[in-house]
Amino acid sequence: MRIGVDYYPEQWDKSMWQKDAELMARTGVKVVRMGEFSWARIESEDGRFDFSWLDEVISIFAKHMIKVVLGLPTNCPPLWLYEKYPQIIRTGMDGNKVQLGIRSHRCLNSPIFRAYAKRMADAMVSHFTMNLTVIAWQIDNELRANMCACDVCRNRFREWLVEKYDDLNGINEAFGNVVWGGEYSSISQIQPPSDYPDAWQNPSLCLEWYRFTSFSTADFANDMMCVVKKHCPKIPVTTNAGFTEYTPDFYKLFDMLDFVSYNNYPPVKIYDYADYYYSHAFHLDLMRGLKEQHFWVMEQLSGITGGWTPMSSGLKAGMLMGYSLQAIIHGADTVMHFRWRTALKGAEQFNHGILDHSNIPNRRFFEFSELCKKAEQISVLDNTVILSDIAILYSPESEKALEFQPQTENFSYINQLKAFHSAFTRFGANVDVVAPDTDLTRYKIVVAPSLFIINKKETENIYRYVINGGTLVLTTRSGVKDSNNNCIMEALPTVYKELIGAEVYEYNPIGNDVCAIKDFADNEFICSQWCDNMKLTTAKAYAEYVSDEYYSMPAITLNKYCNGFAYYIGTICRSDFYESFASNLMRQTRIPKLKDLPKGVEVTTRTNGEEEYICFFNNSEKKASISLPKAMYSIMSLTGKEKLELNPFEVEVVRK
Ligand code: GAL
């Protein structure tokens, strides 16, 4: 397990490089990332490349046995390039060019930008081909779906649609443009959705725009990767993912890249409700699921965030180390902290790194040094993997479509996934978050909340899973839309009706109103947001509504289908229901539960085929005591233990 830092040599006087590298080496830093914003320093004039400063700083790190990840600096083209070719500047959805001065102003589809980006990448990668200190390349920085409405993008979007739907008739039909007289009679009339993503506009157009902008970003990343691979076929290539306003489809973005890396900025406030506790873990599990392999954290929270927003609260004692180790136990092999030292200049002066402006070692620095030692201590986890019996399916397209058309007050696609994730996490289970078309055969339980958009391959995959004996959970708002994001003339949940042995004959988006349900064992739970009323064909009721209007109608159903079982949850409940439901499912599918885990404690179990390690993380501000089923060897304290006493944010690893 490796700990590293993000470093910006161009922001510091050269005289500091040596001192910084020395201190990093002494502290236990194994790798630094640099370069991702430094195009202007590398190519200050068109075609004149200067890598000498990078050579110098990399050689300093090499002397200290610190490896380097280089960023291809395409996020920030130099101003001379924008001046020479203003057409490469991103165009907002309002048709105006965005203002220069911060970063990410380039249009990823612009042929001129691409040519310059490739030339820069070619020069940079070929320059460092033989440099063994460089161990990986990062493409750009926190790539977003290419939100540009310039002429190039508009034309590409049109061509992309014609390619998909053959002609204007096909597009009109798919988009339902007859509604409100929106039929295109000429290709030039096709425009990106003006107020994307949140206005009253055609949902089919919005979904295609999301697909197109995601595709543009992935296409750009693949282009850049090819340049790297031309010179260094063996060196791994990644890009750093972050959840932003315009998050692209990560499955597509990472499809061709070698590994996933993630910008991990968990919020530092701890709220006392169940879904919150395990929310960071959910994102980490999602990152591990993108390529179904371990990942890196390329940027890890290290200090107060802020700058253009008011500053966040400071990190509590133990958080810097705890959240980093938490990422490791969920599958991050390398965790790079953002950033070594807080910037003195520029827009991010108050986005704190490990060291403050003063450069005087502080509490976070000492915690970071401790972290570097702990990461070495848990190197027993190096070749271990997380094998899960439970999967939650994440569909970026359904997430987006539900964002375009919010179904009811407070309805959130991602919160449903988190509610299930929290419930299983509460019992110490490993949980994978994976794509709906992934191979599901290895899972005992698969939960697929609100698969709103139908996709034939995914539907078949889900049926196959149940036919072969799997236990599936579907929830309300499944199968609502076809792949064009249009509704379907069929009882809900359309393609899944047969699988669940029931159909919805009426629904009620009750929003913040509440209702109650009672399960087969007479346990009552509050529900809200949505009520599906169902007619059962082959299914039985697992729970019924017990509120007036829907009294005794099925709310949750269970159907035996071929060799498997399919549940359908027709409402949205609070965390107590999901915990009870998860507990029942785990009992039925014989997945072991760790009982009495204190709130906020999460567990991952990792194996190398011979030995198993159980990792505990206390994501709470209270001490947590955990009784182990038998005495186990603690990797952290090198003693046998039957009981663990975890401080807030502490991680413990025991050999089973
Ligand atoms: C990330 C970004 C970094 C830095 C950081 C600040 O999203 O990739 O460059 O801006 O946020 O928290």
Side-chain angles (χ1 to χ4, degrees):
M1 300 301 163
R2 259 188 320 210
I3 300 294
V5 294
D6 301 309
Y7 189 60
Y8 298 93
E10 69 277 23
Q11 296 182 15
W12 308 107
D13 191 273
K14 247 170 132 166
S15 60
M16 298 189 74
W17 298 349
Q18 179 69 33
K19 285 190 208 131
D20 282 335
E22 264 167 34
L23 184 57
M24 285 182 204
R26 251 188 290 133
T27 312
V29 168
K30 298 282 186 267
V31 53
V32 297
R33 180 198 62 176
M34 60 174 88
E36 79 275 16
F37 298 122
S38 63
W39 189 339
R41 265 294 153 98
I42 293 172
E43 191 184 1
S44 55
E45 280 173 41
D46 197 343
R48 260 192 56 198
F49 295 95
D50 173 15
F51 297 106
S52 58
W53 63 278
L54 267 175
D55 287 336
E56 195 177 336
V57 68
I58 292 174
S59 75
I60 294 174
F61 283 114
K63 275 191 209 114
H64 291 88
M65 312 298 283
I66 294 175
K67 298 291 185 191
V68 168
V69 175
L70 277 179
L72 290 175
T74 49
N75 193 280
C76 291
L79 289 178
W80 59 255
L81 188 57
Y82 286 129
E83 195 171 49
K84 198 162 177 179
Y85 302 105
Q87 62 271 48
I88 72 167
I89 302 172
R90 204 153 49 78
T91 301
M93 303 310 276
D94 57 2
N96 295 320
K97 291 282 176 203
V98 298
Q99 255 207 306
L100 299 180
I102 307 292
R103 61 182 181 185
S104 303
H105 305 309
R106 72 283 180 259
C107 165
L108 299 179
N109 280 329
S110 153
I112 298 173
F113 167 71
R114 283 253 188 137
Y116 271 88
K118 278 159 98 172
R119 187 178 79 174
M120 146 62 69
D122 199 69
M124 193 166 175
V125 181
S126 60
H127 182 88
F128 291 105
T129 308
M130 304 305 283
N131 193 323
L132 298 179
T133 300
V134 178
I135 55 160
W137 287 87
Q138 173 187 301
I139 294 166
D140 206 276
N141 186 71
E142 216 171 56
L143 280 166
R144 297 173 182 203
N146 185 48
M147 290 306 299
C148 175
C150 70
D151 287 343
V152 171
C153 288
R154 281 171 207 260
N155 285 329
R156 287 267 164 87
F157 182 47
R158 291 166 185 148
E159 286 160 14
W160 196 75
L161 289 174
V162 172
E163 168 86 27
K164 184 164 176 182
Y165 296 104
D166 291 339
D167 53 23
L168 285 182
N169 287 340
I171 302 172
N172 282 327
E173 182 59 29
F175 284 14
N177 281 340
V178 64
V179 176
W180 294 353
E183 284 167 315
Y184 304 130
S185 55
S186 133
I187 193 153
S188 58
Q189 292 157 10
I190 301 178
Q191 301 293 349
S194 52
D195 280 323
Y196 177 95
D198 32 39
W200 199 21
Q201 47 199 350
N202 189 328
S204 304
L205 174 71
C206 290
L207 187 61
E208 284 301 2
W209 179 247
Y210 167 68
R211 287 173 177 149
F212 171 72
T213 52
S214 281
F215 159 81
S216 303
T217 301
D219 185 58
F220 167 73
N222 293 343
D223 238 10
M224 302 309 284
M225 184 198 60
C226 289
V227 178
V228 180
K229 294 289 182 186
K230 187 176 91 187
H231 298 287
C232 321
K234 294 213 173 114
I235 203 156
V237 181
T238 188
T239 187
N240 52 342
F243 288 94
T244 61
E245 205 183 346
Y246 301 121
T247 298
D249 182 330
F250 285 143
Y251 294 111
K252 299 216 161 64
L253 179 61
F254 285 102
D255 190 31
M256 305 293 282
L257 305 184
D258 293 306
F259 69 101
V260 169
S261 57
Y262 175 46
N263 292 350
N264 188 25
Y265 292 98
V268 294
K269 279 235 163 93
I270 305 275
Y271 297 98
D272 192 23
Y273 54 88
D275 296 351
Y276 167 77
Y277 281 111
Y278 310 110
S279 178
H280 314 165
F282 170 80
H283 288 107
L284 296 167
D285 290 342
L286 192 154
M287 286 296 140
R288 193 180 68 250
L290 289 180
K291 285 187 84 71
E292 298 180 68
Q293 66 186 33
H294 286 189
F295 59 99
W296 287 29
V297 170
M298 201 57 99
E299 297 180 15
Q300 173 72 30
L301 176 77
S302 304
I304 295 165
T305 57
W308 56 96
T309 54
M311 284 187 249
S312 70
S313 311
L315 272 63
K316 306 209 165 57
M319 264 185 179
L320 182 145
M321 172 150 66
Y323 287 159
S324 197
L325 292 173
Q326 179 198 27
I328 289 178
I329 65 176
H330 280 271
D333 291 334
T334 300
V335 178
M336 316 277 286
H337 279 251
F338 186 87
R339 45 190 276 167
W340 174 245
R341 187 172 35 246
T342 313
L344 296 179
K345 298 175 181 169
E348 288 201 330
Q349 292 166 25
F350 296 109
N351 225 310
H352 294 68
I354 301 167
L355 291 164
D356 289 320
H357 298 128
S358 66
N359 203 27
I360 299 168
N362 54 17
R363 177 178 66 82
R364 297 193 309 285
F365 173 79
F366 294 118
E367 202 174 303
F368 177 75
S369 319
E370 192 57 22
L371 165 69
C372 294
K373 294 190 194 101
K374 289 255 161 103
E376 294 215 342
Q377 222 174 323
I378 55 172
S379 57
V380 288
L381 298 181
D382 272 356
N383 294 312
T384 61
V385 289
I386 299 169
L387 299 177
S388 310
D389 288 325
I390 303 167
I392 296 176
L393 306 189
Y394 166 59
S395 157
E397 291 205 348
S398 290
E399 181 185 24
K400 271 290 153 199
L402 285 162
E403 250 169 62
F404 302 145
Q405 294 182 295
Q407 299 291 285
T408 183
E409 285 164 307
N410 273 339
F411 184 93
S412 153
Y413 171 77
I414 214 76
N415 284 351
Q416 275 199 73
L417 274 71
K418 286 184 183 174
F420 283 103
H421 185 273
S422 291
F424 292 116
T425 301
R426 192 81 182 88
F427 297 111
N430 285 347
V431 186
D432 286 351
V433 180
V434 290
D437 61 358
T438 207
D439 178 6
L440 302 173
T441 40
R442 62 187 181 278
Y443 298 113
K444 292 185 180 163
I445 299 174
V446 169
V447 185
S450 298
L451 284 178
F452 194 60
I453 299 280
I454 288 173
N455 169 311
K456 195 160 175 274
K457 196 171 160 208
E458 296 173 3
T459 310
E460 284 173 4
N461 194 35
I462 286 169
Y463 266 84
R464 199 176 313 122
Y465 169 69
V466 181
I467 288 168
N468 291 332
T471 295
L472 171 79
V473 182
L474 293 178
T475 75
T476 186
R477 312 315 287 144
S478 294
V480 177
K481 298 277 202 134
D482 64 17
S483 60
N484 295 324
N485 205 6
N486 292 319
C487 291
I488 301 165
M489 196 183 284
E490 206 182 318
L492 292 169
T494 65
V495 290
Y496 301 113
K497 276 194 318 260
E498 183 186 324
L499 188 57
I500 67 161
E503 62 184 50
V504 177
Y505 72 89
E506 190 176 34
Y507 57 70
N508 190 355
I510 61 171
N512 290 332
D513 290 349
V514 290
C515 235
I517 58 168
K518 188 154 85 174
D519 72 8
F520 62 94
D522 275 353
N523 300 309
E524 273 199 35
F525 303 97
I526 299 289
C527 59
S528 65
Q529 297 179 29
W530 199 272
C531 292
D532 278 335
N533 291 329
M534 280 174 293
K535 265 200 255 168
L536 309 188
T537 47
T538 53
K540 295 194 167 45
Y542 173 97
E544 293 175 353
Y545 294 103
V546 286
S547 304
D548 301 344
E549 198 183 336
Y550 311 112
Y551 195 83
S552 88
M553 292 178 179
I556 300 175
T557 59
L558 165 60
N559 190 38
K560 168 111 181 69
Y561 188 81
C562 297
N563 297 318
F565 294 95
Y567 289 84
Y568 180 87
I569 303 179
T571 184
I572 311 279
C573 296
R574 297 186 178 164
S575 58
D576 57 342
F577 163 76
Y578 295 105
E579 271 178 34
S580 146
F581 186 66
S583 169
N584 287 339
L585 284 186
M586 288 172 80
R587 193 173 46 244
Q588 276 159 35
T589 51
R590 296 177 207 282
I591 299 174
K593 272 183 271 183
L594 279 178
K595 295 205 189 85
D596 306 322
L597 275 178
K599 215 156 58 166
V601 171
E602 61 195 57
V603 179
T604 54
T605 304
R606 304 179 49 138
T607 177
N608 56 19
E610 284 173 9
E611 280 155 333
E612 263 192 350
Y613 294 93
I614 315 181
C615 313
F616 295 85
F617 170 58
N618 178 15
N619 191 19
S620 82
E621 291 178 71
K622 297 190 186 123
K623 287 195 171 198
S625 307
I626 300 145
S627 302
L628 299 173
K630 58 172 189 174
M632 296 190 194
Y633 183 73
S634 157
I635 304 299
M636 295 309 207
S637 56
L638 309 176
T639 54
K641 284 187 174 176
E642 269 189 291
K643 194 164 186 184
L644 306 178
E645 301 288 348
L646 297 186
N647 284 320
F649 315 111
E650 190 177 348
V651 164
E652 172 65 277
V653 179
V654 295
R655 194 165 50 220
K656 206 169 164 182

